[in-house]
Amino acid sequence: MKIEEGARIVVEDWLHAVEGNYLFFITDETKRREAKAFENAAKKVGAKYKIVELKSDEIQGALTIEALRYDMAEADAIVGATNYSFITTDAVYYALSRGAQFLSMPMSTNDGRSLLEQDFLKMSPDEASRIGMPMLWQLRECNRIHVTTELGTDLYFNITDRFPGIFHGSVWQPGKCSSASFEVYISPIEYKTNGTLILDGSMGYIGLVEKPLKIIIENGYISDIEDTPDGRKLKEYMESFNDLEMYCAAEFGIGLNKVSECAGRSYIEDESTYGTFHIGFGRNLALGGSHNAAGHFDLVTHNPTITVGDKVIMKKGVAKGIKADTRDRFHLF
């Protein structure tokens, strides 16, 4: 896919931009080609736009984003298109509270191609909604998630009084956020996740694991990472934040994108992949949680069986109970 088509999908199909809308595109110095494509797509529909370029090595810490708090709040829609995600920052939470819409589109890739050139962006938001809404409604009605895999994952998440959401690219209401990661998500209670994760997919920005990796979570925090080459990479990455709160399991997500493959091309595609689940660690502000940290990253695992309350909503990576009429309930969540 050409980069211009990716930009068109974002502006027209996801932001639903029309003449007179004010779009705020936040990127970094590594993504000038994407910024130009976004500018041209905005011009085509007659939208007003502002493009801000940040330094790529300052994004995860959130201080640079904080300086844009009031500028973001004035926009109709904001696109976070830096290499690293900042959807979970206080500044985004503030902009949403003032009525802005936010699209998280972290642009980091591992294969040399722009995210805007990758075919997983072609996934239909309506199709993702039809897959995800039955799971979302079940999450609303229960207070516990149990996840297992045939490789040995066995995890419990407490979601009492936490509210789930769904991302499918498309922004749909002032004050709401969306993401290029197509997923159902919920922020579990931060200190009550327990069990064993056998990670066989992706380590977020780091890329794919070479062999399944055992990770222990106790009282919400990673307590042990298996000593393997992948385990050492993960430990080194987490230690680089110099923040113990990065070890907190702060998000639970289920991939909805049937075009995506968990192939290590990009973190956002990996966690979007249908038939996977992911755990987000670190900050979860703007995702329904209250946990702050120096950053946010996700671990992606294949073929989960997910039980919510006493109902199985996904069996070995296949969603259960998908109904054709879920599109009509889209506006309710």
Side-chain angles (χ1 to χ4, degrees):
M1 182 168 67
K2 293 184 177 180
I3 194 170
E4 292 78 13
E5 174 61 10
R8 186 206 64 77
I9 289 172
V10 171
V11 170
E12 296 184 22
D13 298 346
W14 292 5
L15 300 182
H16 312 292
V18 296
E19 185 175 356
N21 283 163
Y22 173 35
L23 310 180
F24 197 176
F25 189 83
I26 304 173
T27 189
D28 57 52
E29 78 282 358
T30 69
K31 297 294 176 282
R32 289 171 181 163
R33 193 162 63 104
E34 288 81 356
K36 185 63 177 178
F38 180 85
E39 177 183 338
N40 291 336
K43 285 180 178 178
K44 185 177 179 180
V45 299
K48 297 181 288 185
Y49 61 90
K50 181 176 182 179
I51 296 174
V52 173
E53 181 181 296
L54 305 177
K55 294 181 179 179
S56 58
D57 61 353
E58 296 179 351
I59 304 304
Q60 281 277 51
L63 294 179
T64 303
I65 299 300
E66 182 62 28
L68 298 174
R69 166 190 290 251
Y70 301 110
D71 290 335
M72 286 196 294
E74 294 178 358
D76 292 307
I78 307 151
V79 181
T82 55
N83 254 333
Y84 300 101
S85 172
F86 58 88
I87 188 174
T88 54
T89 58
D90 280 320
V92 169
Y93 184 81
Y94 175 79
L96 294 172
S97 73
R98 306 296 291 180
Q101 300 176 101
F102 184 82
L103 171 63
S104 177
M105 197 168 187
M107 305 294 283
S108 177
T109 63
N110 297 320
D111 67 352
R113 292 191 303 141
S114 169
L115 194 80
L116 292 179
E117 295 174 311
Q118 301 200 10
D119 287 341
F120 78 91
L121 300 184
K122 296 178 181 179
M123 174 66 180
S124 163
D126 284 344
E127 175 66 9
S129 181
R130 286 195 293 272
I131 297 169
M133 286 301 291
M135 293 189 280
L136 181 143
W137 285 99
Q138 191 64 31
L139 286 166
R140 288 184 63 168
E141 296 172 359
C142 297
N143 58 23
R144 188 179 75 162
I145 302 170
H146 182 208
V147 183
T148 61
T149 67
E150 290 188 336
L151 289 179
T153 292
D154 191 359
L155 287 164
Y156 288 91
F157 302 82
N158 188 314
I159 55 171
T160 303
D161 296 327
R162 291 297 170 91
F163 197 79
I166 186 168
F167 290 147
H168 42 52
S170 180
V171 296
W172 54 278
Q173 182 178 330
K176 300 296 183 180
C177 59
S178 191
S179 173
S181 175
F182 285 41
E183 63 180 86
V184 172
Y185 67 90
I186 193 166
S187 292
I189 296 178
E190 289 79 1
Y191 311 111
K192 294 190 176 181
T193 298
N194 287 282
T196 300
L197 172 67
I198 305 299
L199 178 67
D200 66 349
S202 168
M203 297 185 287
Y205 299 109
I206 304 171
L208 298 180
V209 295
E210 294 183 7
K211 296 181 179 179
L213 174 65
K214 184 177 181 179
I215 298 170
I216 304 298
I217 302 174
E218 296 180 295
N219 299 321
Y221 285 77
I222 292 176
S223 61
D224 186 70
I225 299 173
E226 187 178 3
D227 187 19
T228 68
D230 286 321
R232 289 189 286 273
K233 285 181 186 178
L234 180 58
K235 287 179 182 178
E236 181 179 359
Y237 178 76
M238 296 184 70
E239 289 170 357
S240 72
F241 288 93
N242 195 31
D243 182 1
L244 292 177
E245 298 308 320
M246 287 296 296
Y247 293 79
C248 179
E251 177 202 4
F252 175 81
I254 306 170
L256 301 176
N257 193 324
K258 289 190 172 182
V259 183
S260 291
E261 298 176 332
C262 185
R265 289 185 290 259
S266 70
Y267 132 76
I268 205 72
E269 179 181 15
D270 290 346
E271 71 170 14
S272 295
T273 303
Y274 177 74
T276 70
F277 83 100
H278 57 273
I279 306 175
F281 291 87
R283 195 166 52 218
N284 65 7
L285 305 176
L287 294 176
S290 58
H291 189 73
N292 211 343
H296 178 95
F297 77 98
D298 300 88
L299 300 179
V300 185
T301 300
H302 293 280
N303 301 320
T305 294
I306 303 172
T307 305
V308 179
D310 60 359
K311 184 174 182 179
V312 175
I313 63 170
M314 179 168 275
K315 181 74 170 179
K316 296 180 182 179
V318 179
K320 310 290 284 186
I322 298 174
K323 298 179 181 178
D325 65 353
T326 53
R327 184 193 313 221
D328 298 331
R329 303 168 73 183
F330 170 73
H331 67 285
L332 294 177
F333 68 90

